[in-house]
Every structure is written in C-alpha cells, then in structure tokens.
Amino acid sequence: MPIECSTGCHKNAVLKRPKTGDALCKDCFFWVFEEEVHHTITAAKLFTPDDYVAIAASGGKDSTVLAYIMKLLNDRYNYGLKLVLLSVDEGITGYRDDSLETVKRNEQQYSIPLKIVSYDELYGWTMDRIVEQIGLKNNCTFCGVFRRQALDRGATLLKVDKIVTGHNADDIAETVIMNILRGDIARLQRCTAIVTASEGTIPRSKPFKYTYEKEIVMYAYFKKLDYFSTECIYSPNAYRGYARAFLKDLEKIRATSIIDVIHSGECFSVRDGVKLPTQGICEQCGHVSSQPVCKACVLLEGLNKGKPRLGLGKTSKIREHLKRNDENLAGVEASDADTDKINIPKTINIKQLDF
Ligand code: SF4
Ligand code: ZN
C-alpha cells in the first residue's frame, strides 16, 4: 500500500528523508531541499546583489548539485549573482581528467562559464608526478594544500568576490571530529564557520553546511544530474575514513548525530590566553599563511629540491632543515641519500583537510 506524501499534497511518497524521517514525494523533496539551502544562504547573508561568485566544481555529486542549485536559486529568488565554475586539475590521469569532462558538460548544461587551473601550470608538478616521488602515503597532504591555494589563485585570476564550495554537513562533522582527535584547536575553532575569510583572501562559504550527504545523493539521483562518482585512484585519505565510519556508527544509534556534532563544534570556544596562530602573508608567494612561508611553498621547495618528505613535518622545523641542508650541501651535488642525513621529525603532521 503506497504511503502518501506527508506534506498533504496527495501524491505518493517515494522516499524517506534522512534528515527528518518524513515520507515525501519527489516534488516535495525537491522543494524542501532547495528551500533549506535558500534559507541557509539568506540566514547567513552569504551574498549581496551583483556578487561575482566562483563555484568550486570537481564534477562530483556535491559540487554538481551545488552548481545546479546555485543557478536555480539565483534565478528563482533574483539573488543577482554572476556565476562561474572554477575547477582545479590536479593532474591525476584516469580520475581528474574524466571528472573534468563532467564539469565541461555541466558548463553547457547550466550555461555557467568554466575556468580550470592546474597544478602543472601553477606549481610545475602534477599529482601523478608527486605520487611518483612520495608514494601513496602522504600524497593527500600535498594535494589538499595545493588545491586550497589553487582555488584561491584561480579565484584571484577571475577577480571573483566570493567562492562557494560543496562541503556538506557530513564533511563538516567529520572535520570537527578529526580536529578534536588531532588536538588542532585553531582549525577546530574555524571549521564549522559557514564563511571563512581572513584579510586579503576571497571569502569562501558552504551553502550545504546543514545539508546531509545522503540527501545530496538523492537530489542528484532524482534530478538525474550528470556527475562523476568514481573515487580518486590515489585512494581516499585514511584518517577521514575512520572519522566517517565513526560518525556512521553514531548515526545508527542517534539519527541527529551529524547536526549534533556540528552544533558542538560551533559551541567550542578557546579560553583566553591560549596561543593561536595568527594569519599573515607568505614571504615567498604572498598568499595567506600562519607561518613566514606557507605550507604550499614549503612542500614545493621540498619537491623541487628532490626531498619531498621534508615538507611533511612542522613548517618551522622544515625551514630549519632546508636551510641547514643548503649550508651543508653548498657546492655538493644533491642526491636522495642526503635526505637520510637529515633529522626528519618522526611525528608527521597531516593536515590536508583544511576547509
Ligand atoms: Fe587529491 Fe588525495 Fe583527494 Fe586524490 S584522494 S584528489 S590525491 S586529496
Ligand atoms: Zn607561499
């Protein structure tokens, strides 16, 4: 016996909403999903009329639904935004090249222009080549740091006012848990913010902050959106995988766990007197950094010097090592064996998941 849509529209329900448990027909689900995102956007005043907004687009489900819904809401509610898709090509053969084909189709389907920036043109390295150097253990550290900066650089090139990303509620809850487990107070403090902006940077916001991943998948499925669903060939990062599995277990016991964790993250405050990193400008590339030289420049320096692992420790220590190494090796041909002579920090600080 079919169940009627709980809104009273008299159509048959086709799904049970993960967020509320309501039985809904397709049209009512589309409506509540879109209206919730609209509410998030307006309540947080994410945009002002005439904003030029870059949608970070990877071709995956989150960013594809984001592009679709940004266009839909912009038209429905006259936000007055000028939209552009901004993609980063990490140079991962068999993965990113295919997903970028999806974004190119989205460009046509949604009539939103597309700009692609690549690691190759920005850094002179592709992820394929980085993985050749570093292997499959810390590749996501390089990729995450470079991607964050590449998006900023692309946005600066386009002269946009704002960037939106497809991070959803599940992503944010996972990040809260990861930052607690790592004791990363600075990131814990800012990872639940719907807008992140520091002086000299283009503000980034997350219109899907309260949107469940399961509902994004349902929306994409019922709307028959064209997205790319294959995982990166260089493997998803293991640490986030554990946080994700933990959250999924919690959700089985308590359906509101995701929103509860986000709420907890929002309520954390750091007591006075705790020293937090201050944001400055990288003395090498001019991008925002809490160190004299940003992580992207440090990682790049390690790669270019043939010592990619040096970039994986604490930034200040790495700088010291590189400096000492330069002095020690003055006039000597660098070789891989030199790396062994350097006291590489044993604790590796993997922080690629920086929102
Ligand atoms: Fe980059 Fe790692 Fe994500 Fe692959 S899984 S795209 S290497 S961050
Ligand atoms: Zn830099």
Side-chain angles (χ1 to χ4, degrees):
M1 171 104 174
I3 301 169
E4 267 204 13
C5 177
S6 60
T7 62
C9 73
H10 303 302
K11 281 189 235 153
N12 286 338
V14 294
L15 58 91
K16 189 175 165 199
R17 259 198 96 179
K19 198 170 184 175
T20 57
D22 292 341
L24 293 177
C25 72
K26 232 192 311 189
D27 289 334
C28 288
F29 170 65
F30 292 155
W31 181 257
V32 290
F33 182 95
E34 291 155 7
E35 287 305 294
E36 279 185 14
V37 179
H38 172 59
H39 175 76
T40 304
I41 289 172
T42 48
K45 299 189 175 63
L46 295 188
F47 313 115
T48 46
D50 296 328
D51 271 348
Y52 184 22
V53 180
I55 303 164
S58 66
K61 61 178 185 341
D62 300 306
S63 61
T64 303
V65 173
L66 181 64
Y68 178 87
I69 211 156
M70 284 294 295
K71 179 172 171 59
L72 181 138
L73 295 176
N74 192 32
D75 293 345
R76 182 185 290 165
Y77 291 108
N78 297 316
Y79 289 166
L81 308 178
K82 185 178 160 196
L83 301 174
V84 60
L85 298 169
L86 174 58
S87 293
V88 176
D89 180 358
E90 298 95 341
I92 303 176
T93 313
Y95 168 66
R96 186 55 82 215
D97 42 1
D98 291 342
S99 68
L100 285 176
E101 288 308 311
T102 313
V103 186
K104 287 176 194 163
R105 289 196 300 277
N106 294 157
E107 178 188 14
Q108 306 302 324
Q109 291 155 350
Y110 308 153
S111 307
I112 307 177
L114 165 67
K115 167 81 185 161
I116 302 176
V117 289
S118 74
Y119 285 5
D120 200 9
E121 66 186 0
L122 295 177
Y123 306 110
W125 287 84
T126 61
M127 275 311 292
D128 287 339
R129 282 185 56 226
I130 292 172
V131 168
E132 270 173 29
Q133 298 290 314
I134 194 89
L136 282 172
K137 200 152 173 230
N138 295 303
N139 53 307
C140 295
T141 303
F142 285 81
C143 196
V145 170
F146 287 164
R147 187 186 306 111
R148 184 174 173 80
Q149 198 190 73
L151 261 186
D152 279 336
R153 292 220 211 168
T156 306
L157 275 175
L158 287 166
K159 298 191 174 65
V160 297
D161 301 301
K162 284 163 188 166
I163 304 171
V164 287
T165 64
H167 292 112
N168 59 47
D170 301 49
D171 296 327
I172 296 166
E174 286 158 17
T175 308
V176 171
I177 290 184
M178 286 163 61
N179 286 331
I180 291 172
L181 295 177
R182 287 173 174 150
D184 193 331
I185 303 299
R187 281 192 171 85
L188 182 56
Q189 213 192 16
R190 61 176 192 257
C191 73
T192 54
I194 191 161
V195 182
T196 44
S198 44
E199 221 186 302
T201 60
I202 297 169
R204 284 179 187 222
S205 65
K206 307 175 193 108
F208 287 162
K209 178 179 172 187
Y210 299 110
T211 309
Y212 280 29
E213 185 173 73
K214 280 181 195 152
E215 299 202 351
I216 292 173
V217 175
M218 280 180 172
Y219 189 87
Y221 172 79
F222 285 117
K223 282 273 180 188
K224 297 190 173 58
L225 299 185
D226 182 5
Y227 68 93
F228 185 78
S229 55
T230 307
E231 291 249 356
C232 173
I233 53 166
Y234 296 140
S235 88
N237 86 74
Y239 205 58
R240 181 168 288 264
Y242 287 121
R244 175 164 292 228
F246 175 61
L247 259 181
K248 294 271 174 265
D249 284 346
L250 287 181
E251 244 191 316
K252 283 180 208 147
I253 306 163
R254 187 178 166 89
T256 55
S257 294
I258 288 174
I259 291 295
D260 293 344
V261 170
I262 294 176
H263 182 63
S264 304
E266 287 171 336
C267 294
F268 277 121
S269 64
V270 180
R271 78 175 140 74
D272 289 347
V274 174
K275 203 166 165 257
L276 291 169
T278 48
Q279 297 283 349
I281 295 289
C282 169
E283 61 195 38
Q284 281 185 16
C285 71
H287 279 85
V288 172
S289 171
S290 54
Q291 301 288 332
V293 176
C294 75
K295 187 82 172 168
C297 283
V298 172
L299 290 173
L300 194 58
E301 199 173 337
L303 282 170
N304 289 336
K305 283 178 187 266
K307 300 176 193 320
R309 275 177 188 76
L310 287 182
L312 295 169
K314 289 250 187 219
T315 310
S316 51
K317 288 189 187 156
I318 299 153
R319 297 289 303 164
E320 266 172 45
H321 288 310
L322 282 171
K323 197 162 159 263
R324 214 180 309 143
N325 198 32
D326 275 351
E327 285 159 7
N328 290 345
L329 296 176
V332 181
E333 193 80 12
S335 78
D336 274 353
D338 296 327
T339 317
D340 302 334
K341 295 176 198 153
I342 300 162
N343 181 22
I344 298 168
K346 290 249 172 357
T347 326
I348 291 172
N349 204 4
I350 306 168
K351 287 179 179 168
Q352 71 272 30
L353 291 139
D354 187 3
F355 282 17

